[in-house]
Amino acid sequence: MKARAVKGIVVKDLRETRRDRMAVFWIFVFPLMWVTLLGAIWGGSSPPVVVHVGAVYFNESAPFTASTLIGIMENVSVDGQKVFRITRYPDESAGLEAVKAGRIDVLLVFPRGFGKNVSSGLQGKVYAYFDRSDPQKYQIASGVVKGFFSEFEREMAYRKLNITLGYVEAYFPKNLSANFSPSMVRAYLVGMMDPIDLKEEAVTGERPSPIKFYVTSFIGIQFLFATMLTVSNLLFEEIEKGTLRRIAASPATAWDFLVGKMLSTFIVITASILIGVVYSKAVFKETVFPGPTGWLIIALSAVFSMSLGLAIAMGTRSMKATNALVNLISMPLLFLAAIVIPESILPRWARPIADYFPLGTALKDLRLLEIYHRPPSEVFPDVAWIAINSLLMLLIAVLLYNWAIKRLQ
Amino acid sequence: MRAIEVRGLRKGYGDFIALNGIDLDVDEGEVFALLGPNGAGKTTLIRILAEGLSYDSGEIRVFGEPLSKKTARLIGYAPQESLAYDDLTVRENLEFYANLYDVPGKRVDELIERFKLPAKKKAKELSGGFKKRLNLAVALLYDPKILVLDEPSTGLDVPSKRELWELIKEFREEGKTVLLATHYMEEAEALADRVAIMNEGKVIAVGTPEELKGLAGNESVIHVEGILRGTEAILREFRAIERENVLRVSVEDARKALPKVVEALVEGGSEIRSIRIEEPTLEDVFLKLTGRGLE
Ligand SMILES: Nc1ncnc2c1ncn2[C@@H]1O[C@H](COP(=O)(O)OP(=O)(O)O)[C@@H](O)[C@H]1O
Ligand SMILES: [Mg+2]
């Protein structure tokens, strides 16, 4: 390889790119556009859950009534955020209308006598009507509402238990063996009522931040697909100008030429990636800055996609056909290779694409490294796999280049 | 010594035969012109020699050696179209090719000075004449012994054309061999030591301009200028070329033919500005050989 020829090609391409206003525009605008879009649509912390509850109840004069319960519900908050937004309806049919119209997620109907029953220690009935048109919304609403009721029941049960234990202590025979004491009875009753004591511990570990995820998506889009388009367009510029024939006739070899074009492309796209990475830090306060292994993966898979782009360009020798083909290949792959969406939501048949298609592997590994901070040794087998594929693809591109040059005349 | 030897060269583009058995010898140190109309196959021939374009059969030697990547270094090529990248300056363009051919950087300065090129101007801001000169500078980067120029002055105005011709004459004085393709008879006559007339993929005559004109025998040419009408009859009866406001009629005996020509033109309603009897040019020779004009 002739280093000077490669350098010449790179310097020339970069000078041309720097002076091409459209190119500069896209290098800046693409990252800003992608990061803003991805970040705004999917990023940020998820909004707090709010369940819209409709309530129908009757006024009663008992010490504890449906109205008291609804009042408690209204004040439940998590992390300072009210969980339930309550709307009161005069009767059941008005409430059901609201459920059907999607104005509320659930309608709670407290029949007449609810307060009187509960106040006197009996069972109170409640009817809950959930809107089940959206399964996900239903799961959230029913989970939260049922959670509230079971917490509420537990609270009531403990109060009843304490009252009951008061009687037990007052009338407990004093001469029973030490093995049988009021505290034992209490423990036994608590066990019966509440057999499992689930302790919730908040652990703040590596949170897979959505912003970081989408910064890696953006990096993927840029080095997988922007490189493919950029490198093939750089090639077509030389073909259209007639300079490719000249370069082919010069002492520079196919390798010199292709390596030069790839380096130019890689430098341009890296600049664009850096802009996106820094922009995400500035706007969303979070970003991913790849480490050495990350960059190795980026470089290797960029070689893969650039070689693929060049192979398509050489094979079709038409700019229009190339752009169409690159889009046709890349659009589905953005999803199927889990580049802009998490692999976990892929259908089963698409998993192998994400796992074995080198660009899918690259993104998966990049995320393991940069989001989950796994040690580089974990991804080395994958890196080897990507490297082999990239080399193969590069070889194909070189062969096609030599084949195409003869047909350019 | 022979700078270039071509024997039985054939080249087709698909079914179309662009070169149909070319034989050619270019001597070291001469300016050799390929003269022929558009489509004659001049560029194809040149690109086989200078760009490594593939060919179907035939033999080519450059200073005695078969054409190869090695002999490529002996040939500098200035194609018809500009080689320059528009957004790069003259110097940056030359630097690019210097890197490609691994030529020392100071050669770039030498060439900028020699061709009086505006180093800092972007290629897209250059006039046609300077673009051609930049092409010449690129062709001369590695100081080749043979210069191959395709239509070097096509598209230039008269003063730029003259300047360029002076440069080409200088190359010859330096001992370079120049092979140029042109469809301008004047260019071949002004520059070439020897001319090969090409038509439809064949060389139909080779010689010095004088020798070639001899092919016209003792013919002379009636050259008429003006707003010409009624030329159809003349074109039918005589061997003649008509171009905008000019009619050239090749005749054995000018004194006998002149009245007929004038009569036909006047009857057609022409406004004749001038008439003169001339020696035949290369174009008239071409006309005699092929029955058509060069343009
Ligand atoms: N790449 C090509 N594919 C097909 N035909 C071509 C190609 N290049 C040239 N030709 C044809 O070959 C003939 C000779 O062309 P060319 O060598 O350019 O002639 P010239 O330079 O004398 O005008 C022309 O008829 C032209 O149309
Ligand atoms: Mg030509």
Side-chain angles (χ1 to χ4, degrees):
Chain A
M1 192 144 60
K2 293 174 197 63
R4 197 167 160 206
V6 174
K7 185 194 110 185
I9 291 168
V10 173
V11 169
K12 189 269 293 175
D13 282 346
L14 293 183
R15 279 174 171 160
E16 275 194 302
T17 308
R18 202 181 60 214
R19 283 170 207 168
D20 177 354
R21 290 220 189 96
M22 271 322 268
V24 172
F25 174 78
W26 284 116
I27 290 169
F28 276 92
V29 167
F30 244 118
L32 307 192
M33 205 179 80
W34 274 114
V35 173
T36 308
L37 266 180
L38 293 173
I41 296 173
W42 288 295
S45 50
S46 41
V49 172
V50 174
V51 179
H52 295 264
V53 177
V56 177
Y57 54 82
F58 300 91
N59 285 325
E60 291 179 87
S61 54
F64 184 91
T65 62
S67 161
T68 328
L69 189 137
I70 290 296
I72 294 169
M73 215 172 171
E74 237 168 353
N75 286 319
V76 173
S77 62
V78 170
D79 296 338
Q81 274 285 331
K82 293 247 159 83
V83 176
F84 299 104
R85 194 140 309 153
I86 312 276
T87 317
R88 291 168 175 80
Y89 293 95
D91 55 52
E92 195 171 320
S93 63
L96 282 174
E97 268 317 301
V99 175
K100 282 181 191 148
R103 285 198 297 275
I104 52 176
D105 303 315
V106 56
L107 176 69
L108 298 177
V109 178
F110 300 87
R112 199 179 290 281
F114 173 84
K116 192 168 141 256
N117 284 341
V118 173
S119 299
S120 51
L122 301 176
Q123 200 178 40
K125 239 187 186 17
V126 184
Y127 295 92
Y129 299 93
F130 286 99
D131 172 13
R132 295 195 69 153
S133 57
D134 177 345
Q136 215 166 345
K137 243 172 123 181
Y138 161 70
Q139 275 187 351
I140 294 173
S142 79
V144 171
V145 169
K146 286 173 186 164
F148 168 78
F149 275 108
S150 67
E151 190 56 34
F152 190 81
E153 280 170 345
R154 220 159 69 101
E155 199 55 44
M156 279 198 355
Y158 272 105
R159 285 190 194 180
K160 285 184 183 171
L161 174 72
N162 283 338
I163 294 168
T164 311
L165 278 175
Y167 287 106
V168 169
E169 253 167 60
Y171 298 102
F172 206 78
K174 298 281 182 275
N175 54 351
L176 279 179
S177 82
N179 294 344
F180 195 61
S181 63
S183 61
M184 273 200 61
V185 173
R186 182 194 159 82
Y188 180 76
L189 288 176
V190 167
M192 190 167 86
M193 212 173 69
D194 201 5
I196 289 174
D197 180 15
L198 176 70
K199 287 262 189 289
E200 191 182 314
E201 297 277 354
V203 180
T204 353
E206 270 318 326
R207 196 167 61 99
S209 118
I211 289 291
K212 285 186 176 175
F213 182 89
Y214 289 107
V215 171
T216 56
S217 295
F218 156 73
I219 293 177
I221 293 168
Q222 289 299 89
F223 77 74
L224 307 184
F225 300 118
T227 52
M228 221 191 270
L229 282 178
T230 306
V231 81
S232 49
N233 283 337
L234 280 179
L235 175 77
F236 282 117
E237 273 167 25
E238 304 274 10
I239 292 179
E240 273 167 17
K241 256 206 78 53
T243 41
L244 183 57
R245 287 205 316 246
R246 180 60 168 222
I247 295 169
S250 82
T253 61
W255 288 93
D256 298 334
F257 177 74
L258 293 181
V259 169
K261 288 286 156 197
M262 287 191 183
L263 273 176
S264 316
T265 305
F266 193 69
I267 291 170
V268 169
I269 299 302
T270 301
S272 167
I273 287 179
L274 290 178
I275 290 167
V277 164
V278 169
Y279 173 73
S280 169
K281 180 80 189 167
V283 175
F284 299 110
K285 307 282 180 287
E286 268 186 299
T287 197
V288 166
F289 193 84
T293 317
W295 278 110
L296 177 69
I297 291 174
I298 291 177
L300 282 175
S301 35
V303 168
F304 180 88
S305 66
M306 286 188 285
S307 302
L308 182 59
L310 285 169
I312 293 171
M314 302 289 185
T316 61
R317 276 170 294 144
S318 140
M319 194 154 173
K320 270 191 188 157
T322 300
N323 285 344
L325 258 174
V326 166
N327 282 322
L328 207 66
I329 292 176
S330 59
M331 285 309 156
L333 275 177
L334 280 178
F335 297 94
L336 297 180
I339 284 158
V340 297
I341 55 170
E343 197 184 340
S344 56
I345 68 172
L346 277 183
R348 187 177 293 278
W349 57 266
R351 297 279 169 94
I353 303 176
D355 286 340
Y356 296 109
F357 182 66
L359 306 183
T361 318
L363 248 269
K364 193 184 71 188
D365 291 343
L366 192 63
R367 287 182 177 134
L368 282 177
L369 288 171
E370 310 304 342
I371 301 181
Y372 298 97
H373 301 288
R374 306 301 306 161
S377 58
E378 220 167 89
V379 302
F380 283 161
D382 283 356
V383 173
W385 167 251
I386 299 168
I388 290 168
N389 279 282
S390 301
L391 266 178
L392 272 178
M393 198 44 104
L394 181 59
L395 207 66
I396 294 173
V398 169
L399 290 177
L400 276 172
Y401 173 87
N402 282 327
W403 174 85
I405 280 291
K406 293 204 189 80
R407 275 152 193 81
L408 269 183
Q409 329 286 355
Chain B
M1 181 154 197
R2 293 249 192 277
I4 300 171
E5 266 181 86
V6 178
R7 293 285 172 271
L9 183 63
R10 282 168 195 280
K11 161 82 181 171
Y13 296 108
D15 289 340
F16 178 79
I17 297 168
L19 297 180
N20 193 2
I22 300 275
D23 293 310
L24 206 66
D25 291 301
V26 178
D27 289 329
E28 183 172 6
E30 72 176 341
V31 175
F32 192 100
L34 301 169
L35 177 65
N38 281 323
K42 306 179 298 292
T43 300
T44 303
L45 173 58
I46 275 185
R47 287 186 46 215
I48 291 174
L49 292 169
E51 249 184 8
L53 177 66
S54 64
Y55 51 95
D56 304 329
S57 64
E59 207 182 318
I60 303 167
R61 291 181 174 273
V62 179
F63 287 106
E65 289 209 33
L67 188 73
S68 66
K69 267 244 169 182
K70 199 168 126 230
T71 59
R73 199 78 179 181
L74 299 170
I75 302 175
Y77 171 38
Q80 183 176 358
E81 62 286 354
S82 169
L83 280 172
Y85 295 93
D86 281 346
D87 283 328
L88 264 53
T89 65
V90 167
R91 175 181 297 283
E92 288 165 346
N93 268 297
L94 283 168
E95 278 169 359
F96 168 67
Y97 287 107
N99 280 328
L100 215 55
Y101 286 95
D102 200 17
V103 169
K106 69 176 198 305
R107 180 80 180 135
V108 169
D109 298 315
E110 280 171 29
L111 288 164
I112 286 175
E113 202 172 319
R114 159 145 198 205
F115 291 103
K116 299 187 183 64
L117 289 165
K120 294 206 180 89
K121 246 194 187 173
K122 283 190 184 165
K124 66 179 166 202
E125 295 157 357
L126 293 179
S127 67
F130 275 115
K131 276 194 179 150
K132 291 280 187 191
R133 284 195 205 190
L134 181 53
N135 262 13
L136 281 182
V138 173
L140 279 170
L141 262 174
Y142 45 89
D143 202 19
K145 290 170 105 172
I146 304 172
L147 260 178
V148 174
L149 315 174
D150 197 359
E151 310 270 359
S153 67
T154 298
L156 295 189
D157 53 30
V158 175
S160 314
K161 196 180 279 191
R162 302 257 170 230
E163 279 178 40
L164 204 94
W165 287 358
E166 287 312 310
L167 285 172
I168 294 172
K169 285 178 187 161
E170 281 175 32
F171 298 150
R172 197 183 67 164
E173 277 154 32
E174 290 165 23
K176 294 211 185 300
T177 308
V178 179
L179 173 65
L180 66 88
T182 183
H183 66 277
Y184 286 135
M185 174 268 297
E186 295 93 338
E187 191 160 61
E189 278 193 348
L191 294 173
D193 298 310
R194 289 199 303 144
V195 177
I197 297 182
M198 281 185 75
N199 189 40
E200 294 177 351
K202 283 189 180 138
V203 173
I204 53 175
V206 186
T208 63
E210 291 316 309
E211 286 167 356
L212 290 175
K213 283 181 210 165
L215 291 177
N218 45 15
E219 285 186 358
S220 47
V221 175
I222 302 170
H223 179 105
V224 190
E225 280 178 45
I227 299 165
L228 304 175
R229 293 191 196 92
T231 53
E232 299 81 5
I234 300 170
L235 289 168
R236 231 174 330 185
E237 190 172 344
F238 297 95
R239 212 167 58 234
I241 318 161
E242 187 185 7
R243 208 166 293 145
E244 217 184 335
N245 299 335
V246 173
L247 182 70
R248 290 176 69 82
V249 191
S250 300
V251 291
E252 293 278 347
D253 185 344
R255 261 182 301 170
K256 241 166 74 189
L258 188 58
K260 282 193 191 171
V261 170
V262 174
E263 198 183 291
L265 287 175
V266 170
E267 266 176 23
S270 307
E271 289 172 39
I272 299 174
R273 216 173 297 132
S274 74
I275 300 185
R276 53 182 192 268
I277 314 290
E278 287 185 348
E279 291 292 295
T281 63
L282 288 177
E283 182 161 23
D284 302 312
V285 175
F286 185 84
L287 177 70
K288 175 161 182 179
L289 295 175
T290 66
R292 52 181 283 219
L294 276 170
E295 278 173 53

